[in-house]
Amino acid sequence: MAKRRRNESPERQALREMVNGYLKENPVKNGTDVNALMREMMSVILEGSLDGEMDEELGYSKYDFRNKETDNSRNGYNTKTL
């Protein structure tokens, strides 16, 4: 287990360990690898943030068909009339 840095939260420490584990399995060799890694990380962060925002706004999570007060679905396959 990595040594905890001064004033580092447990969440940040867990994130650091996760990233270090990923980098051990997928070494970064050049700038292209760094760019690809950053793009992937940003994609995961943005998708997670937007999904969380949508859950909060609608009051139910994606594919949750039991705990909602509407017939609407978030799976993207319903027909819509504009």
Side-chain angles (χ1 to χ4, degrees):
M1 185 164 158
K3 183 179 175 185
R4 183 170 176 187
R5 295 179 183 209
R6 181 182 288 177
N7 299 326
E8 187 172 68
S9 69
E11 293 84 8
R12 183 158 176 132
Q13 182 182 7
L15 179 61
R16 182 181 304 281
E17 289 174 9
M18 181 181 66
V19 170
N20 284 338
Y22 178 85
L23 290 174
K24 284 179 184 176
E25 294 175 13
N26 305 287
V28 175
K29 298 177 184 123
N30 54 38
T32 303
D33 291 348
V34 172
N35 190 25
L37 177 61
M38 296 302 289
R39 284 174 158 271
E40 186 63 30
M41 288 173 58
M42 185 59 71
S43 173
V44 169
I45 290 168
L46 289 175
E47 287 175 19
S49 297
L50 291 172
D51 282 344
E53 187 176 333
M54 187 69 83
D55 292 351
E56 184 69 27
E57 180 68 24
L58 296 177
Y60 60 93
S61 63
K62 195 170 188 176
Y63 305 115
D64 185 3
F65 60 92
R66 292 187 183 119
N67 301 316
K68 62 182 183 174
E69 298 173 7
T70 178
D71 292 333
N72 194 14
S73 180
R74 290 181 54 195
N75 64 7
Y77 292 102
N78 281 354
T79 58
K80 306 284 191 260
T81 302
L82 301 177

